[in-house]
Amino acid sequence: LRDGALEGEHAPALTIRDAIPFGFDVFAHVLSQLSSFILAGKSQSRGVVVVAFTRSPSFYVDLLKRGVDVSSLRILDCYTDPLGWKDKLKDVRDLDNLYSLILESGKGLVGQGKVHLSVAIDSVNAMLRHAPMSRVAGLLSNLRSHDQVSCIYWLLHSDLHEVRVTSSVEYISSMVANVEPENIFMLKQNFGKGKLNVRFKRRNGRVRMMCEEFHIEQSGINFINQGLLPKVQFSLQLSEKEQTERAKVVLPFEHQGNGKPIQIYDGRRSITE
């Protein structure tokens, strides 16, 4: 999310998916980290537009005002008056208008030109409550493909929808983070502990899986394995002895010439030729 999109590519998109009450903690953590990167100038993006369905704007201001410049933040309030009873311009059922409002909010951050912004949506479920999946998917895809959107991520409570709906939302994403309990059979005893299983779709089409454990504390979410390192049962580094032994191995296609120039056999000629 921090690195953003390459020229001509869709913006990276993250689905935070949960069926336990920890998804929003992960959402808030990502928002705080992303905002910190923006403030430090380490992100392609220069500001964040938060589409607030489940929390008030004041909540996000309080969340980010510690160490983060709130001038790089814009909050689209879909929490106070979601159906537009007071302000007809902010009816969340009109997704075309919502798309325009998100981009309009971003203009105050980045202005004109090739300056990028990030988009954070705290509830896809709120949109699915009022609009069909095809319309919601269209909104998310249009945001991903907009040339000023550097990255986008959203929260989805998967237990509220059929599998086909959650699969459609995940299909739009380049990353999916599943928030799971540490032990499903001991959920009550281990309340506040969980696992974050992340799936990355790489540009070459390959998929990378990562896992990280976390604890929920008063100060927020605390990750055990910072950096999303893969869990493996062997060392990823060779010892000095192993490196020496590996260097001695003669590969089957490499013919050492006993002092003569090394020849690489390409499979189309005999060795004598």
Side-chain angles (χ1 to χ4, degrees), residues 20 22 180-182 187 190-195 214-216:
I20 58 174
F22 298 144
E180 302 173 359
E182 187 177 57
L187 181 58
N190 291 338
F191 190 79
K193 298 181 180 180
K195 295 182 296 183
F214 63 82
H215 291 172
I216 302 295

Side-chain angles (χ1 to χ4, degrees), residues 9-238:
E9 280 192 348
H10 285 184
L14 167 66
T15 293
I16 299 173
R17 169 182 168 175
D18 77 341
I20 58 174
F22 298 144
F24 187 80
D25 295 280
V26 177
F27 178 90
H29 175 78
V30 173
L31 180 60
S32 297
Q33 293 297 307
L34 187 58
S35 299
S36 297
F37 282 129
I38 291 171
L39 180 62
K42 296 180 180 179
S43 173
Q44 184 189 63
S45 174
R46 289 295 172 262
V48 184
V49 175
V50 179
V51 185
F53 285 102
T54 62
R55 300 293 191 279
S56 66
S58 60
F59 171 87
Y60 288 107
V61 172
D62 291 339
L63 174 69
L64 298 176
K65 69 181 181 182
R66 298 183 295 273
V68 175
D69 184 5
V70 293
S71 65
S72 63
L73 173 70
R74 291 293 183 274
I75 303 170
L76 184 56
D77 184 6
C78 299
Y79 173 83
T80 307
D81 183 27
L83 300 183
W85 290 350
K86 297 179 180 178
D87 185 356
K88 293 183 179 180
L89 295 178
K90 290 187 179 181
D91 187 345
V92 300
R93 295 170 295 187
D94 186 350
L95 296 189
D96 290 334
N97 185 54
L98 182 62
Y99 173 75
S100 299
L101 289 173
I102 293 172
L103 297 179
E104 192 67 30
S105 299
K107 284 183 180 179
L109 287 169
V110 301
Q112 302 296 326
K114 287 286 184 179
V115 185
H116 295 86
L117 62 98
S118 301
V119 178
I121 303 174
D122 69 7
S123 177
V124 171
N125 305 86
M127 293 189 290
L128 289 169
R129 191 179 302 134
H130 302 292
M133 180 61 224
S134 59
R135 297 275 294 153
V136 174
L139 170 68
L140 299 178
S141 297
N142 288 339
L143 287 171
R144 277 200 70 190
S145 60
H146 194 277
D147 59 2
Q148 280 197 305
V149 175
S150 170
C151 66
I152 180 172
Y153 79 103
W154 52 75
L155 176 62
L156 173 69
H157 300 302
S158 59
D159 56 328
L160 301 181
H161 301 284
E162 298 177 3
V163 174
R164 64 179 180 83
V165 173
T166 57
S167 297
S168 297
V169 175
E170 291 180 12
Y171 181 78
I172 304 169
S173 314
S174 56
M175 299 168 282
V176 177
N178 283 313
V179 185
E180 302 173 359
E182 187 177 57
N183 187 328
I184 191 64
F185 300 106
M186 301 179 66
L187 181 58
K188 291 184 178 179
Q189 293 88 330
N190 291 338
F191 190 79
K193 298 181 180 180
K195 295 182 296 183
L196 191 67
N197 289 310
V198 187
R199 184 175 75 247
F200 301 87
K201 298 177 189 175
R202 292 183 171 178
R203 289 186 174 95
N204 60 10
R206 294 183 178 179
V207 176
R208 182 186 183 190
M209 300 290 293
M210 307 296 251
C211 182
E212 192 166 10
E213 296 177 357
F214 63 82
H215 291 172
I216 302 295
E217 301 173 352
Q218 274 192 336
S219 58
I221 192 168
N222 180 33
F223 287 97
I224 309 301
N225 303 318
Q226 285 288 349
L228 285 174
L229 295 175
K231 289 187 175 181
V232 293
Q233 300 300 319
F234 54 87
S235 175
L236 296 176
Q237 303 293 330
L238 295 178

